[in-house]
Amino acid sequence: MAERVVLVVDDEAAQRTVLAGFLRKRQLEAVAAGSVDEAVQIVSGRTIDLVLTDLNMPGKDGLTLIDSLRAINPELPVIVMTAFGTVASAVDAMKRGAADYLTKPIDLDELDVLVTRTLERRALASENALLKEQLASRYRLAGLETANAKMSEAINTAARAAAS
């Protein structure tokens, strides 16, 4: 299996270093960014499997990052971290598409569980989409398209019968 890549976004260099080191010990490739703009540039230029972002950063915050990432890749999971956690900020992050929410100081065992679970969920979703596409293409007749449901059903029946 290919190595998973996790982007750590935090304006505090020490926090980025600790989290990146922890992720590397978990056999993950860790990439670090100190700002929202830097993170967007990284995500635009390479495949990232998960983003861990601080919520409160100078200039653009973690919510702005979530919005920017949704425009690039709506399926990219984001875990939001903050030392100033409130129910309202957690709800806002989740509404914008965050996969999960952690409060600082980060409990590394909890982070490990969340990262593992989020990456597994992403892998399952990708596999599911691939299998659906393979199944759909198996019963698709080349060049035949219709908007009529009954005609589509007849084409699919013919394709299944042709295979037998």
Side-chain angles (χ1 to χ4, degrees):
M1 183 160 112
E3 188 173 31
R4 299 293 187 172
V5 181
V6 180
L7 173 61
V8 178
V9 185
D10 199 314
D11 59 306
E12 297 177 26
Q15 185 75 14
R16 286 193 312 268
T17 302
V18 168
L19 291 174
F22 174 77
L23 294 167
R24 287 184 188 107
K25 287 180 183 175
R26 297 295 186 268
Q27 307 306 312
L28 298 167
E29 181 181 342
V31 180
S35 69
V36 169
D37 291 334
E38 186 181 354
V40 168
Q41 185 177 12
I42 290 169
V43 170
S44 297
R46 68 177 294 183
T47 301
I48 300 293
D49 297 298
L50 172 64
V51 175
L52 294 175
T53 185
D54 189 15
L55 182 61
N56 297 312
M57 294 182 281
K60 299 176 182 172
D61 64 8
L63 297 177
T64 303
L65 177 59
I66 292 172
D67 293 340
S68 298
L69 295 176
R70 291 289 158 255
I72 298 167
N73 180 357
E75 303 302 316
L76 180 60
V78 178
I79 296 175
V80 175
M81 309 172 293
T82 186
F84 308 102
T86 64
V87 172
S89 65
V91 168
D92 196 15
M94 300 302 265
K95 280 183 180 179
R96 291 182 188 222
D100 226 312
Y101 190 89
L102 279 170
T103 55
K104 290 181 180 179
I106 301 296
D107 177 337
L108 294 179
D109 291 330
E110 183 181 4
L111 176 63
D112 190 28
V113 169
L114 285 179
V115 167
T116 301
R117 183 176 64 204
T118 304
L119 289 173
E120 285 174 354
R121 194 177 311 138
R122 179 174 166 91
L124 286 172
S126 296
E127 182 181 9
N128 188 21
L130 176 64
L131 290 172
K132 282 181 178 181
E133 177 58 34
Q134 288 174 345
L135 184 61
S137 68
R138 181 177 180 186
Y139 296 115
R140 187 180 306 139
L141 291 178
L144 292 179
E145 293 184 24
T146 181
N148 184 300
K150 291 198 183 262
M151 181 57 89
S152 180
E153 185 179 328
I155 291 170
N156 287 334
T157 301
R160 286 192 302 272
S164 65

